[in-house]
Amino acid sequence: QSYLVSGLNFVLPEKGNLVYQYEKLDFSDSFSGNRHILNASFNLTDWTIQSRGSFLKSDAANSTSKFLRNQSQIKYHFKKNWIGTSLRLEDNQEKNKVTNQFSALSQRFLEYGFFAGRGDSTKVFVELGYFKRTNDSLQNGIIQRVNKSQTFALHSKLIQTKKSDLTLFANYRVLDFVDASKKNEPSLNSRMVYNDRFFNQLIQSTTVFETNSGSIPQQEFTYLEVPVGQGVYTWNDYNGNGIQEL
């Protein structure tokens, strides 16, 4: 096994930094992968820029994969107001070496949007946003569009004192399927959280109120093994029986 990490860190004093990191992992002849990571964070007078991205390419005994991910946001502040735009994307392509077919893990999505707010994001504020997203998944052996959605979002903090705070989040989404036989699915979800503290914070209470509407399909969850460095969970054999179980 060999593992190499290298990178560069570009710093602008009191303004932000740009970090590039390269990682390479090899397991003899069974796995070889490399990942490029690029993160940026800048505060330039009235502008805030943040970006986190990575690209992973791997070659395992039975499969090859490419995995691209990015989350970026640009925000402009003026007085007690702000406007901004955001971008989120993910592209995961895994192929079987024998069949040269995509695996069931292959998928991609792209989401972009705009938002505007007023107030102090650490105290009392309100923010409205609009986001558009497209989803692609494996259909008939190829990765193709399955649906798209539009979301209108509200995020606000109505109360913020030393003893209590009240937060409200709501979004209305319309899901539009490529398959003409499926109807559009509108949904409205909201969540209100109220925290209060008594007797010099000796006692704390939290009240949560949620509403959900729309069709939510029954879901079953399972864990699939993926190339090293690509997944988000790790299996630990706590009972020492050698069986991958929950």
PDB file of all heavy atoms in Angstrom, residues 223-225 232-246:
ATOM      1  N   TYR A 223     -26.290  -0.591   2.192  1.00  0.00           N
ATOM      2  CA  TYR A 223     -24.938  -0.075   2.012  1.00  0.00           C
ATOM      3  C   TYR A 223     -24.221  -0.908   0.956  1.00  0.00           C
ATOM      4  O   TYR A 223     -24.239  -2.136   1.005  1.00  0.00           O
ATOM      5  CB  TYR A 223     -24.150  -0.139   3.333  1.00  0.00           C
ATOM      6  CG  TYR A 223     -24.712   0.762   4.403  1.00  0.00           C
ATOM      7  CD1 TYR A 223     -25.688   0.309   5.299  1.00  0.00           C
ATOM      8  CD2 TYR A 223     -24.284   2.081   4.521  1.00  0.00           C
ATOM      9  CE1 TYR A 223     -26.209   1.136   6.277  1.00  0.00           C
ATOM     10  CE2 TYR A 223     -24.800   2.922   5.497  1.00  0.00           C
ATOM     11  CZ  TYR A 223     -25.757   2.443   6.368  1.00  0.00           C
ATOM     12  OH  TYR A 223     -26.276   3.277   7.327  1.00  0.00           O
ATOM     13  N   LEU A 224     -23.606  -0.224  -0.020  1.00  0.00           N
ATOM     14  CA  LEU A 224     -22.888  -0.895  -1.090  1.00  0.00           C
ATOM     15  C   LEU A 224     -21.412  -0.540  -1.019  1.00  0.00           C
ATOM     16  O   LEU A 224     -21.044   0.600  -0.755  1.00  0.00           O
ATOM     17  CB  LEU A 224     -23.442  -0.474  -2.459  1.00  0.00           C
ATOM     18  CG  LEU A 224     -24.911  -0.797  -2.728  1.00  0.00           C
ATOM     19  CD1 LEU A 224     -25.330  -0.221  -4.075  1.00  0.00           C
ATOM     20  CD2 LEU A 224     -25.137  -2.300  -2.711  1.00  0.00           C
ATOM     21  N   GLU A 225     -20.556  -1.531  -1.250  1.00  0.00           N
ATOM     22  CA  GLU A 225     -19.119  -1.299  -1.232  1.00  0.00           C
ATOM     23  C   GLU A 225     -18.702  -0.533  -2.489  1.00  0.00           C
ATOM     24  O   GLU A 225     -19.115  -0.862  -3.598  1.00  0.00           O
ATOM     25  CB  GLU A 225     -18.361  -2.629  -1.161  1.00  0.00           C
ATOM     26  CG  GLU A 225     -16.863  -2.459  -1.007  1.00  0.00           C
ATOM     27  CD  GLU A 225     -16.145  -3.792  -0.825  1.00  0.00           C
ATOM     28  OE1 GLU A 225     -16.834  -4.836  -0.796  1.00  0.00           O
ATOM     29  OE2 GLU A 225     -14.908  -3.774  -0.705  1.00  0.00           O
ATOM     30  N   VAL A 232     -18.759   7.274   2.001  1.00  0.00           N
ATOM     31  CA  VAL A 232     -18.864   8.144   3.171  1.00  0.00           C
ATOM     32  C   VAL A 232     -19.007   7.351   4.465  1.00  0.00           C
ATOM     33  O   VAL A 232     -18.996   7.933   5.546  1.00  0.00           O
ATOM     34  CB  VAL A 232     -20.063   9.112   3.031  1.00  0.00           C
ATOM     35  CG1 VAL A 232     -19.829  10.077   1.882  1.00  0.00           C
ATOM     36  CG2 VAL A 232     -21.364   8.357   2.810  1.00  0.00           C
ATOM     37  N   TYR A 233     -19.123   6.007   4.371  1.00  0.00           N
ATOM     38  CA  TYR A 233     -19.234   5.170   5.556  1.00  0.00           C
ATOM     39  C   TYR A 233     -18.117   4.128   5.564  1.00  0.00           C
ATOM     40  O   TYR A 233     -17.595   3.750   4.521  1.00  0.00           O
ATOM     41  CB  TYR A 233     -20.596   4.445   5.606  1.00  0.00           C
ATOM     42  CG  TYR A 233     -21.778   5.381   5.660  1.00  0.00           C
ATOM     43  CD1 TYR A 233     -22.530   5.634   4.517  1.00  0.00           C
ATOM     44  CD2 TYR A 233     -22.148   6.005   6.845  1.00  0.00           C
ATOM     45  CE1 TYR A 233     -23.619   6.498   4.551  1.00  0.00           C
ATOM     46  CE2 TYR A 233     -23.226   6.860   6.893  1.00  0.00           C
ATOM     47  CZ  TYR A 233     -23.964   7.103   5.745  1.00  0.00           C
ATOM     48  OH  TYR A 233     -25.031   7.946   5.794  1.00  0.00           O
ATOM     49  N   THR A 234     -17.766   3.663   6.759  1.00  0.00           N
ATOM     50  CA  THR A 234     -16.737   2.638   6.922  1.00  0.00           C
ATOM     51  C   THR A 234     -17.300   1.473   7.720  1.00  0.00           C
ATOM     52  O   THR A 234     -17.958   1.680   8.756  1.00  0.00           O
ATOM     53  CB  THR A 234     -15.502   3.209   7.656  1.00  0.00           C
ATOM     54  OG1 THR A 234     -14.977   4.304   6.918  1.00  0.00           O
ATOM     55  CG2 THR A 234     -14.426   2.149   7.808  1.00  0.00           C
ATOM     56  N   TRP A 235     -17.065   0.260   7.234  1.00  0.00           N
ATOM     57  CA  TRP A 235     -17.530  -0.919   7.950  1.00  0.00           C
ATOM     58  C   TRP A 235     -16.503  -1.332   8.997  1.00  0.00           C
ATOM     59  O   TRP A 235     -15.313  -1.456   8.711  1.00  0.00           O
ATOM     60  CB  TRP A 235     -17.759  -2.082   6.973  1.00  0.00           C
ATOM     61  CG  TRP A 235     -18.021  -3.390   7.683  1.00  0.00           C
ATOM     62  CD1 TRP A 235     -19.058  -3.710   8.493  1.00  0.00           C
ATOM     63  CD2 TRP A 235     -17.193  -4.557   7.641  1.00  0.00           C
ATOM     64  NE1 TRP A 235     -18.956  -4.986   8.955  1.00  0.00           N
ATOM     65  CE2 TRP A 235     -17.809  -5.544   8.443  1.00  0.00           C
ATOM     66  CE3 TRP A 235     -15.992  -4.870   6.995  1.00  0.00           C
ATOM     67  CZ2 TRP A 235     -17.270  -6.812   8.622  1.00  0.00           C
ATOM     68  CZ3 TRP A 235     -15.458  -6.129   7.171  1.00  0.00           C
ATOM     69  CH2 TRP A 235     -16.090  -7.092   7.977  1.00  0.00           C
ATOM     70  N   ASN A 236     -16.969  -1.519  10.233  1.00  0.00           N
ATOM     71  CA  ASN A 236     -16.120  -1.998  11.320  1.00  0.00           C
ATOM     72  C   ASN A 236     -16.672  -3.323  11.838  1.00  0.00           C
ATOM     73  O   ASN A 236     -17.856  -3.412  12.183  1.00  0.00           O
ATOM     74  CB  ASN A 236     -16.072  -0.982  12.473  1.00  0.00           C
ATOM     75  CG  ASN A 236     -15.355   0.294  12.081  1.00  0.00           C
ATOM     76  OD1 ASN A 236     -14.196   0.248  11.692  1.00  0.00           O
ATOM     77  ND2 ASN A 236     -16.046   1.435  12.165  1.00  0.00           N
ATOM     78  N   ASP A 237     -15.821  -4.322  11.893  1.00  0.00           N
ATOM     79  CA  ASP A 237     -16.230  -5.661  12.352  1.00  0.00           C
ATOM     80  C   ASP A 237     -16.124  -5.716  13.875  1.00  0.00           C
ATOM     81  O   ASP A 237     -15.208  -6.317  14.439  1.00  0.00           O
ATOM     82  CB  ASP A 237     -15.344  -6.719  11.694  1.00  0.00           C
ATOM     83  CG  ASP A 237     -15.868  -8.126  11.921  1.00  0.00           C
ATOM     84  OD1 ASP A 237     -17.007  -8.270  12.408  1.00  0.00           O
ATOM     85  OD2 ASP A 237     -15.130  -9.088  11.633  1.00  0.00           O
ATOM     86  N   TYR A 238     -17.105  -5.100  14.557  1.00  0.00           N
ATOM     87  CA  TYR A 238     -17.029  -4.982  16.011  1.00  0.00           C
ATOM     88  C   TYR A 238     -17.102  -6.336  16.721  1.00  0.00           C
ATOM     89  O   TYR A 238     -16.465  -6.547  17.745  1.00  0.00           O
ATOM     90  CB  TYR A 238     -18.156  -4.085  16.528  1.00  0.00           C
ATOM     91  CG  TYR A 238     -17.979  -2.631  16.149  1.00  0.00           C
ATOM     92  CD1 TYR A 238     -18.826  -2.015  15.232  1.00  0.00           C
ATOM     93  CD2 TYR A 238     -16.955  -1.870  16.710  1.00  0.00           C
ATOM     94  CE1 TYR A 238     -18.662  -0.679  14.880  1.00  0.00           C
ATOM     95  CE2 TYR A 238     -16.778  -0.535  16.363  1.00  0.00           C
ATOM     96  CZ  TYR A 238     -17.636   0.051  15.455  1.00  0.00           C
ATOM     97  OH  TYR A 238     -17.466   1.372  15.101  1.00  0.00           O
ATOM     98  N   ASN A 239     -17.912  -7.270  16.182  1.00  0.00           N
ATOM     99  CA  ASN A 239     -18.043  -8.564  16.858  1.00  0.00           C
ATOM    100  C   ASN A 239     -17.055  -9.610  16.335  1.00  0.00           C
ATOM    101  O   ASN A 239     -17.044 -10.752  16.793  1.00  0.00           O
ATOM    102  CB  ASN A 239     -19.477  -9.095  16.748  1.00  0.00           C
ATOM    103  CG  ASN A 239     -19.927  -9.232  15.291  1.00  0.00           C
ATOM    104  OD1 ASN A 239     -19.121  -9.093  14.366  1.00  0.00           O
ATOM    105  ND2 ASN A 239     -21.214  -9.506  15.095  1.00  0.00           N
ATOM    106  N   GLY A 240     -16.238  -9.248  15.347  1.00  0.00           N
ATOM    107  CA  GLY A 240     -15.173 -10.126  14.889  1.00  0.00           C
ATOM    108  C   GLY A 240     -15.624 -11.383  14.176  1.00  0.00           C
ATOM    109  O   GLY A 240     -14.873 -12.355  14.106  1.00  0.00           O
ATOM    110  N   ASN A 241     -16.844 -11.368  13.577  1.00  0.00           N
ATOM    111  CA  ASN A 241     -17.316 -12.585  12.910  1.00  0.00           C
ATOM    112  C   ASN A 241     -17.059 -12.571  11.403  1.00  0.00           C
ATOM    113  O   ASN A 241     -17.389 -13.519  10.691  1.00  0.00           O
ATOM    114  CB  ASN A 241     -18.803 -12.807  13.172  1.00  0.00           C
ATOM    115  CG  ASN A 241     -19.675 -11.688  12.591  1.00  0.00           C
ATOM    116  OD1 ASN A 241     -19.165 -10.750  11.989  1.00  0.00           O
ATOM    117  ND2 ASN A 241     -20.989 -11.793  12.789  1.00  0.00           N
ATOM    118  N   GLY A 242     -16.486 -11.458  10.883  1.00  0.00           N
ATOM    119  CA  GLY A 242     -16.146 -11.407   9.471  1.00  0.00           C
ATOM    120  C   GLY A 242     -17.321 -11.200   8.547  1.00  0.00           C
ATOM    121  O   GLY A 242     -17.162 -11.233   7.313  1.00  0.00           O
ATOM    122  N   ILE A 243     -18.528 -10.973   9.088  1.00  0.00           N
ATOM    123  CA  ILE A 243     -19.740 -10.778   8.279  1.00  0.00           C
ATOM    124  C   ILE A 243     -20.081  -9.299   8.243  1.00  0.00           C
ATOM    125  O   ILE A 243     -20.163  -8.642   9.284  1.00  0.00           O
ATOM    126  CB  ILE A 243     -20.917 -11.582   8.849  1.00  0.00           C
ATOM    127  CG1 ILE A 243     -20.570 -13.082   8.878  1.00  0.00           C
ATOM    128  CG2 ILE A 243     -22.177 -11.350   8.020  1.00  0.00           C
ATOM    129  CD1 ILE A 243     -21.642 -13.930   9.541  1.00  0.00           C
ATOM    130  N   GLN A 244     -20.307  -8.760   7.027  1.00  0.00           N
ATOM    131  CA  GLN A 244     -20.690  -7.354   6.913  1.00  0.00           C
ATOM    132  C   GLN A 244     -22.172  -7.237   7.202  1.00  0.00           C
ATOM    133  O   GLN A 244     -23.020  -7.466   6.344  1.00  0.00           O
ATOM    134  CB  GLN A 244     -20.351  -6.831   5.521  1.00  0.00           C
ATOM    135  CG  GLN A 244     -18.848  -6.815   5.230  1.00  0.00           C
ATOM    136  CD  GLN A 244     -18.513  -6.123   3.924  1.00  0.00           C
ATOM    137  OE1 GLN A 244     -19.378  -5.530   3.298  1.00  0.00           O
ATOM    138  NE2 GLN A 244     -17.260  -6.214   3.516  1.00  0.00           N
ATOM    139  N   GLU A 245     -22.495  -6.861   8.424  1.00  0.00           N
ATOM    140  CA  GLU A 245     -23.879  -6.777   8.872  1.00  0.00           C
ATOM    141  C   GLU A 245     -24.076  -5.497   9.659  1.00  0.00           C
ATOM    142  O   GLU A 245     -23.123  -4.871  10.129  1.00  0.00           O
ATOM    143  CB  GLU A 245     -24.230  -7.989   9.744  1.00  0.00           C
ATOM    144  CG  GLU A 245     -23.295  -8.118  10.949  1.00  0.00           C
ATOM    145  CD  GLU A 245     -23.487  -9.421  11.714  1.00  0.00           C
ATOM    146  OE1 GLU A 245     -24.382 -10.184  11.338  1.00  0.00           O
ATOM    147  OE2 GLU A 245     -22.732  -9.645  12.675  1.00  0.00           O
ATOM    148  N   LEU A 246     -25.343  -5.098   9.789  1.00  0.00           N
ATOM    149  CA  LEU A 246     -25.680  -3.897  10.567  1.00  0.00           C
ATOM    150  C   LEU A 246     -25.953  -4.264  12.006  1.00  0.00           C
ATOM    151  O   LEU A 246     -26.537  -5.299  12.283  1.00  0.00           O
ATOM    152  CB  LEU A 246     -26.902  -3.194   9.956  1.00  0.00           C
ATOM    153  CG  LEU A 246     -26.739  -2.718   8.505  1.00  0.00           C
ATOM    154  CD1 LEU A 246     -28.027  -2.076   8.032  1.00  0.00           C
ATOM    155  CD2 LEU A 246     -25.589  -1.741   8.400  1.00  0.00           C
TER     156      LEU A 246
END
